[in-house]
């Protein structure tokens, strides 16, 4: 009887611990950019996500029509604070409270907010000093609404924050970003939030074709290309992510996870931008992220493909052709999210 009671206590404790674990969402989402004058209505876009088994979405501003369309969809959402609002939210806690009330609380819980990205690729730059205080004010506003446990606050950065990225184990934040990144990393540690990182092997390949092979960039290399101590790299994506992990570790951020907030390959507009290459990269990304990286094996990477649609109001032909779908909702190439 005593043994039975002990077993019951252990089983109950295990059940409680499992229930207390954060929900692990599908590893792959897609960025829903809206810089086009011929895109489908938000309700149609949400239906397209659901019909393709895309479980997560990134949007770059809290558009009310998109948020309304997401109600009840169970699509996990990464929503952005636009860069032009950072200064206001950094300097005025009441502005941050108003932002959270209008754009998050008003839709919670029927919209499944997961992350708030306070700025996109702001660091390094003139507005970089506003990022952390804006994050802090948004975090405090979430806490006032008792949502700090459900929604994590971060910022989305490009690989420009890295001063060293090769070999990956030598990764470190650049001297001109450390003043901003180091305290941001401590904020992420203290709040159990991830760093949002935009990862584009395509651009590394484009500008370094003499050093980087296409197969290494497309996940198609049959062998290890880069040996880095105990770690072997068959693809550039892992090398970039692990350089960022090494950078985090050097400034006390070993506990911070990386969420890849953008990654993709264009299907037209420049060197090696074919439909075949774009489809190969994105399908291989989907198939790969569950494995983790050499530095973090077995730890699935949450990643967002850029982007859902070809957007005709982007600046360049290259930027207009990152979409998985044409504006008429037909696929640019076949891709399987299941």
């Amino acid at each position: 009887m005593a043994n039975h009671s002990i077993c019951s206590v252990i089983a109950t404790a295990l059940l409680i611990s499992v229930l207390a674990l954060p929900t692990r969402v599908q590893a792959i989402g897609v960025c829903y950019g809206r810089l086009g004058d011929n895109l489908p209505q938000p309700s149609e876009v949400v239906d397209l996500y659901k019909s393709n088994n895309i479980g997560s979405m990134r949007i770059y501003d809290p558009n009310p029509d998109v948020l309304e369309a997401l109600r009840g969809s169970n699509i996990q959402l990464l929503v952005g604070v636009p860069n032009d609002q950072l200064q206001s939210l950094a300097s005025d806690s009441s502005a941050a409270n108003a932002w959270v009330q209008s754009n998050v609380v008003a839709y919670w819980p029927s919209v499944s907010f997961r992350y708030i990205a306070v700025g996109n690729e702001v660091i390094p730059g003139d507005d970089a000093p506003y990022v952390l205080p804006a994050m802090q004010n948004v975090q405090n506003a979430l806490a006032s609404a008792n949502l700090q446990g459900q929604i994590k606050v971060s910022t989305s950065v490009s690989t420009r924050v890295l001063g060293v990225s090769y070999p990956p184990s030598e990764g470190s934040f650049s001297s001109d970003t450390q003043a901003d990144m180091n305290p941001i990393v401590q904020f992420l540690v203290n709040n159990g939030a991830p760093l949002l990182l935009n990862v584009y092997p395509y651009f590394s390949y484009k500008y370094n074709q003499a050093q980087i092979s296409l197969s290494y960039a497309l996940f198609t290399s049959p062998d290890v290309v880069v040996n880095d101590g105990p770690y072997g790299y068959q693809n550039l994506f892992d090398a970039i992510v692990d350089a960022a992990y090494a950078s985090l570790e050097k400034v006390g951020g070993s506990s911070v996870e990386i969420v890849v907030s953008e990654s993709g390959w264009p299907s037209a507009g420049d060197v090696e931008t074919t439909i075949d290459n774009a489809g190969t990269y994105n399908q291989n990304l989907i198939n790969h992220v569950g494995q983790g990286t050499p530095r973090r094996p077995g730890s699935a990477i949450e990643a967002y493909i850029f982007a859902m649609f070809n957007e005709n109001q982007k600046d360049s032909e290259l930027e207009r052709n990152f979409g998985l779908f044409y504006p008429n909702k037909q696929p640019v190439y076949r891709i399987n999210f299941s």
Side-chain angles (χ1 to χ4, degrees), residues 36-103:
D37 60 11
N38 56 354
L39 298 177
Q41 292 300 307
S43 59
E44 298 175 64
V45 175
V46 169
D47 287 342
L48 194 60
Y49 271 69
K50 288 158 64 173
S51 65
N52 284 277
N53 298 310
I54 304 169
S56 301
M57 175 188 291
R58 179 182 181 181
I59 58 176
Y60 294 85
D61 65 280
N63 179 275
D65 294 334
V66 175
L67 293 173
E68 283 294 337
L70 283 165
R71 285 190 188 273
S73 68
N74 204 34
I75 292 171
Q76 302 290 307
L77 186 65
L78 192 174
V79 61
V81 175
N83 294 351
D84 62 5
Q85 296 181 25
L86 295 183
Q87 185 172 0
S88 169
L89 269 58
S91 59
D92 184 359
S93 60
S94 64
N97 273 307
W99 193 96
V100 167
Q101 287 293 325
S102 298
N103 301 311

Side-chain angles (χ1 to χ4, degrees), residues 20-37:
L21 290 173
T23 302
R24 186 71 195 178
V25 301
Q26 181 177 319
I28 284 281
V30 179
C31 302
Y32 172 24
R34 297 178 9 262
L35 291 177
D37 60 11

